[in-house]
Amino acid sequence: MAEILRSLGLSEVRYQENYREEWRLGEVAFDFDTWPDLPTFVEIEGPDEASVRQAAALLELDYSEARFGSVDEIYKSEAGRDILAEPTLLFADGDKNSPARTRDGDRPTPVTVEGY
């Protein structure tokens, strides 16, 4: 795909690795996102605020601690990094084998909820 885009005159701005595991309950999506150097977090998306609040409650998450925005904002607040200024964002070789799971296979504790 990269070759096709280059042949059309586009140039690559950045390359970012991440893993996503998506689960659904009705119209609500629970996306477990794993990015380099961040703890795995859950993004909850639904058709309206009420459905997102209800979904967060199902996971026993405190909606008052929810954060809204894109992953670059999470990097700024959690790691002090501006990933939009970095040309590559990669997992360390050992981290590539365990997306969205801890070493013992259990799910990590979700730390972030994104909205509708």
Side-chain angles (χ1 to χ4, degrees):
M1 189 64 199
E3 284 184 37
I4 292 170
L5 294 173
R6 284 188 200 99
S7 72
L8 294 173
L10 281 77
S11 59
E12 185 175 292
V13 175
R14 74 185 63 84
Y15 177 84
Q16 299 176 331
E17 292 181 337
N18 65 66
Y19 296 102
R20 171 170 278 188
E21 184 174 313
E22 183 172 321
W23 293 71
R24 289 200 166 269
L25 178 62
E27 295 182 86
V28 178
F30 300 83
D31 296 328
F32 289 87
D33 289 344
T34 303
W35 288 79
D37 303 321
L38 287 181
T40 296
F41 59 91
V42 64
E43 177 181 323
I44 301 175
E45 295 180 331
D48 52 39
E49 183 178 356
S51 65
V52 172
R53 283 180 178 272
Q54 184 178 22
L58 284 173
L59 295 179
E60 298 180 6
L61 297 173
D62 184 348
Y63 192 83
S64 69
E65 294 181 17
R67 302 201 3 222
F68 301 88
S70 60
V71 73
D72 62 293
E73 294 172 6
I74 303 299
Y75 267 97
K76 285 178 186 172
S77 67
E78 296 299 315
R81 293 172 58 183
D82 181 2
I83 62 167
L84 298 181
E86 299 179 24
T88 58
L89 180 61
L90 307 173
F91 286 99
D93 287 336
D95 294 340
K96 289 186 176 186
N97 296 323
S98 57
R101 299 200 185 271
T102 60
R103 297 213 189 287
D104 62 3
D106 291 333
R107 286 226 168 269
T109 303
V111 297
T112 305
V113 178
E114 288 199 6
Y116 47 96

